[in-house]
Amino acid sequence: MQNKTKATATLAASALCAVSTLPEISPLKFILTGATGGFILGLVNHGFLAATIGGMADWFGVTALFRKPLGIGFHTEILRRNRARIMDAIVEFVGSDLLNTKNIMETVHDENTAQLLIDFFEQNKGRAKTKTLVREILSELFNDLDTQNISKGIAPILEYEIKNLDAQKLFDAVLKVVTSDKHSRKLLIALFDTGHKILQSPHMQEEILNKITELREAYEGDSAGRALVLTSMDLTDEKILNILNETVDKKINDAEKILNATGMVDAETANAADEMIKTFGGFVNSAASSLNTKKFLDDLKNLFMQKFDAENFIKTWLDVNVKGETDPKILETIRRKQIANPLIGRIVEIERKPVIWKDAVDFLVDAKIDEFIKNIELQRKFDKLIKDFIENLLNEYRGQIPTMIRERLDKFSDDKLTEFVEGHVSDDLQMIRINGSVCGAIVGMFLFVISQIIEQMVR
């Protein structure tokens, strides 16, 4: 139950009880008889009368703050009549006293802003929120990039660099890397694996079988003896193919085991690996030296430049890898498939390609947050920076605080202001009415007792 309802109920009950305990008409006079009964009935009646008067007076006082009680306009509607003076007092108190720079900074200086930031990172998913925020900001920035103009500016530079590229020097550098022990080992393993898969493919197996058949027929010729020997040994073309496959599989597996061996290996394995790597390097260098590499590379570079659209290449790369748009080649492939097969549904949306900078940004944010958490000096500087910033901001705009408060209050009409204040304090003010009734009852009974004592003394 709200205090207003309680106060009204208290006033109504006091008035009703005051009337019902009047000695002349109260039904209690038949119960409370004699001098004692009359004293008790009078005491109760005066208490309820005083409670009613106190409650009415306080109701009038509380109501007079906001409106005209009983239509009485003399010194009522206090809030409305004194609006200007009350506004000035509120603005002065809040703007100049409560929210002055000194009071605010005393509260701010008690806080460790660096620790608040650390708590945000560690306890409120602040790390993830920060990474998301940084990614969103960068995405907005990159999405606004005019990649067409950027590519126009960069394309001539890229074309110039490619045209003036020392292809021979680059080729020699690549050759040096390829023939190094580390990369030669990886390339050999890849070549063995790829070669093995090619040999085991159905098409290659069929070609090898045809070649075995051709060689066998050439070997046998018109000699019945050779054919008899092969038949007696049960060497069919398929068995010869199986023997060849088993031999090749074993050789390749052995070579891969040697090349994949790491850590402490025996001398034989190490020597075998070194021999294969050396042979591979010699083969690559021999093949490279047998070519007129300068002319070959220059011709290759010229051919590349004829077909290379630097501007479109740069624009597409930025759109796909920085903005995260779908590669035009993928869109063109889908378009062709839809044209070739009308049954394929229309592609409504294609998932955006992950941008290349996302992981790097996440790593950088994590690194900076970890550094901040561990670095006490950095935290101290951050705390001082934030507090100095707040203080400078308050000093710069302190004159606007009273103005902002006044502008906010001026937006309220008299009726709205009255409703606003009454809505926030009326329920608490109703306790005045309840207290007035209670105090009035106590004072009324006290005065009745005093009057009775005086009356007895006079007699």
Side-chain angles (χ1 to χ4, degrees), residues 105-120 372-373 375-387 390:
M105 289 311 300
E106 284 179 355
T107 302
V108 172
H109 281 304
D110 290 337
E111 296 292 339
N112 185 342
T113 57
Q115 187 58 49
L116 293 175
L117 183 60
I118 292 173
D119 292 341
F120 169 72
F372 180 80
I373 293 173
N375 194 325
I376 302 300
E377 181 61 21
L378 191 61
Q379 295 174 26
R380 186 191 65 77
K381 290 181 180 179
F382 173 82
D383 185 63
K384 184 177 184 304
L385 177 67
I386 294 298
K387 289 174 179 176
I390 293 174

Side-chain angles (χ1 to χ4, degrees), residues 421-436:
V421 175
E422 186 175 10
H424 284 77
V425 303
S426 177
D427 199 54
D428 293 327
L429 291 175
Q430 301 306 317
M431 289 303 299
I432 296 176
R433 295 173 55 191
I434 296 174
N435 292 334

Side-chain angles (χ1 to χ4, degrees), residues 185 254-277:
R185 187 183 296 266
D254 290 344
E256 288 182 339
K257 286 180 181 179
I258 292 172
L259 292 170
N260 281 315
T262 57
M264 299 295 293
V265 297
D266 58 87
E268 183 179 353
T269 301
N271 291 334
D274 290 340
E275 187 62 30
M276 279 192 284
I277 292 170

